[in-house]
Every structure is written in C-alpha cells, then in structure tokens.
Amino acid sequence: MGKKTKRGAIFLDRDGTINEEVGYLRRLEELRLFPFTGDAIRLINEHDLWAVVVTNQSGIARGFFDEEFVGTVHDRINELLAAGGARIDRFYYCPHHPKEGRGDYLTSCECRKPKTGMLFQAADELAIDLAGSYLIGDTLEDMETAAHAGVTGVLVKTGHGKNLTLPESAAYHAHHVLDAVRWITGERKR
Ligand SMILES: [Mg+2]
Ligand SMILES: [Zn+2]
C-alpha cells in the first residue's frame, strides 16, 4: 500500500519522428503528423505505457518563436491525435542552446538532448520505470540520450534518420514510429 506501481514509458522525439522534419517549425501550418503517427500513439496508450514527447526546441533560444508557440503546437498535436483516439500524456521541451541564445536561454542546461534532464524529470513526475522504457528518435543524439538515461533506444528512418547506421547502443532500426512501437509492444509480450 502506498507504493506507486511504476509504469514504463515510450519517450518520443518530436520533429522527424512523429511529425515531418521542416527545420525549425515556426508556423502552425507547417505541422504535419506522419500518416502512421496516430496508430503508433494509440498503440502506446492501449499498452498502458506513458506516451511522453521529449524535444529540443532551440528555436526559442534563437528567437525564432516563443514558448507559447511551442505550447500551441503541442496542443494542436493532441487535437489531431484525439481524432484517432490517441493522446500524448506529457510534452517536455528544452528551450535552451549552449552557444546561441538570448538572455536566460543561452545556457549549457541539463535538459538539451543528448543530456537526460527531460527524461529524468518525467521519470520523477510520472513515476516512470526507466529500465522498462524506450526512446524513439530520428538522430544519433536521441540514441545517445537513451543510452545515457538507461532506456532502450529505437532509431527510425524518417526525418534525419534516413541514412544513419544503427549505433551499437540502440536496439532496433525501425522504418517509422509505428514500426518502432509495434516492435516494442511485441517485444514486451515475449
Ligand atoms: Mg528529431
Ligand atoms: Zn535545456
């Protein structure tokens, strides 16, 4: 009694993983979820895993857009997903950059991937079992983040992931986020 049952999470990179990579996403009209993203997120929800987005948004530090805009994008993502019965449980973003940024945003923070701040904060707030968790992303930095945090990395071939080689630390090279989630949920049943 009183001890929380820890659930695993599937951490998801945002740009290039659940929506099209467009460089810095500065206008809501540029937001396009991949056609398979809704099914992927719903599968996470159905397996009683946390669906948690962790995204570097240094466009805030660079002055391309503000935090309010990022919040608007994330609300919109969940609106689009809701149409297919899916939801992201929590969004975490890093607004900083170590070399380019204005004011307080110019900092070598602990949250910018490949650092683990966002994952550890989520683990704290949601009581996530990190060892039973995964990070799906389209870059080698995402896979480094997974390795640093002790979660299983899954690389996708969308976004920046097209021509990458799967690093040894990562577990599976998926075609896209739905393939990744199917692999993870199948894996967990074994
Ligand atoms: Mg990405
Ligand atoms: Zn940060």
Side-chain angles (χ1 to χ4, degrees), residues 94-96 109-112:
C94 166
H96 309 113
C109 62
E110 289 303 315
C111 43
R112 182 175 166 79

Side-chain angles (χ1 to χ4, degrees), residues 31-101:
L31 172 66
R32 286 184 298 274
L33 294 183
F34 291 120
F36 38 76
T37 293
D39 288 344
I41 307 301
R42 198 175 53 249
L43 196 54
I44 297 173
N45 301 150
E46 286 169 358
H47 277 78
D48 206 28
L49 292 159
W50 294 106
V52 178
V53 164
V54 287
T55 176
N56 286 353
Q57 292 297 326
S58 72
I60 297 170
R62 297 170 200 266
F64 297 159
F65 43 82
D66 59 15
E67 296 200 43
E68 190 185 349
F69 174 74
V70 171
T72 302
V73 170
H74 294 170
D75 288 347
R76 181 71 185 139
I77 288 174
N78 257 342
E79 266 173 44
L80 294 168
L81 290 173
R87 61 154 206 293
I88 300 290
D89 293 303
R90 203 69 79 88
F91 291 87
Y92 293 89
Y93 62 89
C94 166
H96 309 113
H97 195 274
K99 295 202 184 77
E100 298 184 47

Side-chain angles (χ1 to χ4, degrees), residues 8-19:
I10 297 188
F11 294 101
L12 301 141
D13 170 56
R14 195 189 84 181
D15 302 330
T17 299
I18 64 172
N19 56 277

Side-chain angles (χ1 to χ4, degrees), residues 91-150:
F91 291 87
Y92 293 89
Y93 62 89
C94 166
H96 309 113
H97 195 274
K99 295 202 184 77
E100 298 184 47
R102 306 164 309 156
D104 292 347
Y105 292 126
L106 175 62
T107 176
S108 292
C109 62
E110 289 303 315
C111 43
R112 182 175 166 79
K113 295 179 290 183
K115 294 209 178 157
T116 52
M118 292 189 282
L119 282 75
F120 288 169
Q121 188 186 343
D124 238 37
E125 293 178 355
L126 303 173
I128 290 169
D129 163 28
L130 285 175
S133 296
Y134 298 78
L135 169 58
I136 303 172
D138 69 321
T139 66
L140 296 179
E141 287 72 27
D142 289 316
M143 297 305 100
E144 263 183 74
T145 310
H148 290 160

